[in-house]
Amino acid sequence: MKQEEILLKLVQGKEGKTWASNAYGWTSDGQGVTACDFTGVDCESGAVTSIKLPSQGLVSSLPPEFGLLTELKELDLSDNILFGPVPQEIASLPNLEVFRLSNNQLSGPMPNFVSSSLKVIDLENNRLTGVLPAQFGLGLASLTDFNVNHNQISGTLPATITEMTKLQYLQLAENHFYGTLPMSLGSLPNLTYLYVNNNYFMGELPKELTPSGSKLAEVWLQENLFSGTILANFADVPSLTELYVDGNKLTGTLPDDLCTEKINADFYDYNPEFYQTNPKSTRDFCQSIACPTGFYSTEGIWPCEPCPAGFFNPYIGRELSCIPKDEKLILSKLYTDTSGDSWVGAVNWQHEGIDVCQYHGVTCNDMNQVTAIELPGMGLKGTIPDVIGHLEHLDTLDLSDNALEGFIPSDLSFAPLVSLNLAGNHLKGVVPPKLCMTDANGNGAGGLYECDMILCAEGTYSDTGMASTNGPCLSCNHDGAVYLGSKSCGAVKSSRGPFGGIFGSSSSSEQQSSAESSGSVIAIVILVISALGIIGFGYMYWQRRRSVAAFGMLRRNEEMEESFSDDKDDQWLSSIDLGSKEVTKSKEPPAEMFHIDDDDNDEGLACNDPQRAELL
């Protein structure tokens, strides 16, 4: 196929022809025009080496035939309306150096790039899904900029990402990544800009992230699920000018040496509204990184306000609100977040005149303090609210065999849990490392702590959805057991349909029988369509700028104080989404009071999943 014919594959439909009519050589009737004369095309020795057509209003999919342009070094089709997947044929081009397709509508998984000369991969602001290739990073030692910000990529980071030894920009913000940050990230000698904000990363920040000689200048960790404390050696990185850690589960205090005027100064310079009621001279340098424990703000940074009466906060960088001490408010949050109105059975929660100790499934001690919540198989749908972990006397929590989604809140490690059962749900990710270090379910017997004692990892199962003294979690073949706490290999099924009734894990024979029934097929189709709708709706509300005036913070504090009164309970529950990821931290860029020290317990911590064991 001639080069001209290959290039013209980019011209598709009526919109494509309209664009081509204004671009030299791109019309199908452009006889006698060689590929090297096409608008935006450069050649060397007659071979196409560069296609640069940014901001052209081009509506098209990426033609796999571009993979035949074996001398292509640069492809820049950014800021257009490209849709569909990125063909593996293009990613396999052997001489590719620059791949820029940001600000389009590309979908599907990211392909495996193979060019050892590749320096830039820029796919920011698309609709990519799936996970990164398992060996991503191998053979990409020349890569300096990897940017997939603002997509829908999930999964954990492959350890091979650290093979990209020339990497300066690692940009993973606003995706669905989870797991923990690889300790080996600190081994990237040229890493300068690390953006992993607005994901679901958890666990402690690896101390290896800031080795001696680190070149880190901007580190964006906000809006994740990180726990533990801030690394003291951040203060030893002279090039560091930006450090955002708010919106996590971090505890303790900030190192004094880290609290300098230069850290995050440009954020306030770009958002002068913060100085409207708080003079610049009063800016607290520690609070400019994160509000301290016992305080909060709309953005989790200066200016910060103390928690109102009846509320508390064990975290630094707390956003939007503090945590209620009142057990009724906490249980109301559980009811609201798990679609309490559609629970199955005789539920008396939130009925007039009913005390929380009389709620169905709730047990209290002699002091009328909640000690147990047992709601198995009751059709709970939604996510587990983090505030449940702050019930100070909760020793039993059973939410098994429901339709709960999302991630396990690390806050559960605060509760004195003896029995914890979350199996048979649709939970994703990994068990929070702090929760793996608790004594729940007999964990820690003999000094050995295992995450599987809390829930079986994805890809494994047991009859109970967790390991026990009677046996470990077993591996599934192929793609079975896609959720945490699976009780069999295969999908979790519902006995009453995907959006109502009791959810639970089925045996292999039951799944086969169910798959043969038309009712289950219809249910699966409904589930897929609904999930796609939820994803699309959520994407519309994805971005929110970091620019809230101090007046708004003061007003929110007044609302919080009012919300503690009984007649404002419903207002608090509906207006404040504790533990949500609604706020997206970003800015216009220029060119331990509850600390649990696990260092002494490292030898006693074990997980059957090798990746999780390394990260813990």
Side-chain angles (χ1 to χ4, degrees):
M1 184 179 292
K2 295 181 179 180
Q3 292 186 127
E4 293 78 11
E5 295 175 320
I6 295 172
L7 292 175
L8 290 175
K9 292 291 183 179
L10 187 62
V11 180
Q12 302 168 13
K14 181 179 179 180
E15 295 88 350
K17 292 179 180 179
T18 300
W19 168 81
S21 65
N22 297 308
Y24 185 76
W26 287 92
T27 55
S28 57
D29 58 353
Q31 300 297 326
V33 181
T34 64
C36 299
D37 293 327
F38 280 29
T39 296
V41 176
D42 291 324
C43 296
E44 294 179 9
S45 301
V48 173
T49 57
S50 174
I51 303 173
K52 292 186 288 187
L53 294 168
S55 305
Q56 296 286 308
L58 180 60
V59 181
S60 177
S61 61
L62 283 174
E65 290 83 357
F66 272 22
L68 299 174
L69 301 171
T70 55
E71 299 302 316
L72 189 66
K73 296 180 180 179
E74 181 173 5
L75 180 61
D76 185 353
L77 300 175
S78 55
D79 298 284
N80 283 293
I81 313 175
L82 299 181
F83 55 87
V86 179
Q88 182 59 51
E89 291 87 343
I90 297 178
S92 297
L93 286 167
N95 297 297
L96 197 61
E97 296 179 3
V98 176
F99 186 79
R100 295 188 188 278
L101 280 93
S102 59
N103 300 312
N104 280 287
Q105 299 179 21
L106 298 170
S107 58
M110 197 185 77
N112 193 28
F113 290 87
V114 302
S115 173
S116 60
S117 301
L118 196 58
K119 297 180 176 63
V120 176
I121 298 176
D122 187 357
L123 285 161
E124 180 174 14
N125 197 23
N126 278 284
R127 300 176 180 177
L128 299 179
T129 55
V131 300
L132 295 180
Q135 301 298 315
F136 180 75
L138 287 178
L140 300 180
S142 297
L143 198 70
T144 61
D145 185 355
F146 178 55
N147 186 354
V148 290
N149 286 344
H150 310 289
N151 279 281
Q152 301 168 36
I153 303 173
S154 60
T156 59
L157 297 185
T160 49
I161 201 168
T162 55
E163 295 292 321
M164 302 183 293
T165 53
K166 292 185 179 180
L167 196 66
Q168 299 176 24
Y169 294 82
L170 180 56
Q171 305 182 75
L172 311 174
E174 298 204 34
N175 279 281
H176 301 158
F177 289 111
Y178 56 81
T180 56
L181 289 183
M183 292 182 290
S184 53
L185 270 183
S187 67
L188 292 173
N190 298 294
L191 187 61
T192 308
Y193 303 95
L194 177 62
Y195 305 122
V196 298
N197 51 288
N198 294 85
N199 281 288
Y200 299 94
F201 289 115
M202 61 179 61
E204 295 190 358
L205 299 176
K207 56 181 179 295
E208 296 83 358
L209 185 60
T210 53
S212 175
S214 173
K215 297 180 180 179
L216 284 172
E218 298 183 9
V219 180
W220 292 20
L221 306 172
Q222 71 270 19
E223 297 295 327
N224 278 286
L225 304 172
F226 290 118
S227 57
T229 59
I230 293 294
L231 300 175
N233 50 357
F234 270 129
D236 299 327
V237 181
S239 54
L240 189 66
T241 59
E242 295 184 13
L243 177 62
Y244 297 110
V245 298
D246 45 282
N248 282 287
K249 307 292 184 179
L250 296 167
T251 53
T253 59
L254 291 170
D256 290 337
D257 292 343
L258 183 59
C259 302
T260 61
E261 183 177 4
K262 72 173 183 176
I263 301 297
N264 299 344
D266 60 342
F267 167 73
Y268 290 96
D269 290 340
Y270 275 87
N271 295 276
E273 62 268 27
F274 282 90
Y275 295 133
Q276 290 179 359
T277 57
N278 298 271
K280 187 174 183 178
S281 60
T282 66
R283 180 167 71 90
D284 186 295
F285 299 148
C286 281
Q287 291 188 13
S288 296
I289 301 173
C291 292
T293 58
F295 288 72
Y296 79 104
S297 77
T298 305
E299 298 289 339
I301 57 177
W302 182 87
C304 307
E305 297 292 331
C307 292
F311 290 79
F312 75 105
N313 170 35
Y315 303 120
I316 63 172
R318 181 75 181 186
E319 299 173 339
L320 298 177
S321 66
C322 293
I323 299 170
K325 298 179 181 179
D326 186 271
E327 293 185 332
K328 182 178 180 181
L329 285 178
I330 294 176
L331 293 184
S332 294
K333 183 65 175 171
L334 173 63
Y335 185 86
T336 301
D337 283 8
T338 59
S339 303
D341 291 341
S342 64
W343 287 0
V344 177
V347 180
N348 62 349
W349 286 46
Q350 296 190 319
H351 286 190
E352 188 71 26
I354 300 295
D355 184 77
V356 294
C357 294
Q358 298 175 311
Y359 284 2
H360 177 84
V362 173
T363 303
C364 293
N365 58 21
D366 294 339
M367 301 293 292
N368 292 323
Q369 298 162 328
V370 175
T371 58
I373 302 174
E374 297 170 281
L375 303 170
M378 290 186 59
L380 278 66
K381 298 175 291 186
T383 58
I384 303 172
D386 57 359
V387 291
I388 292 298
H390 299 284
L391 290 169
E392 295 182 327
H393 305 277
L394 187 69
D395 59 38
T396 300
L397 179 62
D398 186 352
L399 304 178
S400 61
D401 299 324
N402 285 293
L404 297 171
E405 300 176 330
F407 299 83
I408 303 172
S410 62
D411 305 67
L412 293 181
S413 63
F414 284 114
L417 290 170
V418 176
S419 176
L420 173 62
N421 192 348
L422 303 175
N425 283 287
H426 299 165
L427 300 171
K428 298 287 290 182
V430 299
V431 178
K434 288 293 185 184
L435 192 56
C436 297
M437 294 299 298
T438 66
D439 296 333
N441 303 335
N443 197 16
L448 183 64
Y449 287 86
E450 299 185 71
C451 296
D452 288 348
M453 293 291 288
I454 306 300
L455 279 182
C456 291
E458 294 178 0
T460 67
Y461 77 101
S462 76
D463 290 342
T464 61
M466 64 189 83
S468 68
T469 55
N470 296 324
C473 298
L474 305 175
S475 296
C476 290
N477 296 323
H478 307 297
D479 297 325
V482 296
Y483 301 116
L484 290 171
S486 293
K487 297 184 177 182
S488 64
C489 288
V492 178
K493 82 165 189 175
S494 167
S495 61
R496 296 183 57 182
F499 295 106
I502 303 173
F503 281 68
S505 297
S506 63
S507 66
S508 299
S509 60
E510 288 173 331
Q511 291 171 5
Q512 181 178 0
S513 174
S514 176
E516 293 172 352
S517 68
S518 60
S520 293
V521 172
I522 294 173
I524 293 172
V525 171
I526 294 173
L527 179 60
V528 171
I529 293 174
S530 300
L532 290 174
I534 292 171
I535 292 173
F537 180 79
Y539 185 79
M540 295 171 60
Y541 291 91
W542 209 353
Q543 298 184 353
R544 176 177 172 180
R545 306 300 288 181
R546 224 182 181 185
S547 56
V548 180
F551 173 80
M553 296 182 184
L554 294 174
R555 177 56 187 159
R556 186 177 296 274
N557 187 41
E558 294 170 359
E559 293 174 351
M560 282 292 298
E561 291 174 348
E562 294 173 356
S563 70
F564 186 61
S565 61
D566 291 340
D567 60 341
K568 293 290 185 178
D569 288 356
D570 292 338
Q571 176 184 342
W572 177 82
L573 292 165
S574 62
S575 65
I576 298 175
D577 184 11
L578 288 177
S580 74
K581 288 167 59 63
E582 177 187 358
V583 178
T584 296
K585 299 300 182 216
S586 60
K587 68 178 181 61
E588 296 297 332
E592 176 141 77
M593 58 188 282
F594 287 93
H595 174 52
I596 302 175
D597 190 350
D598 295 334
D599 292 342
D600 296 335
N601 296 322
D602 287 346
E603 295 181 358
L605 177 62
C607 278
N608 290 337
D609 179 55
Q611 183 179 33
R612 295 162 70 212
E614 176 193 358
L615 298 174
L616 290 173

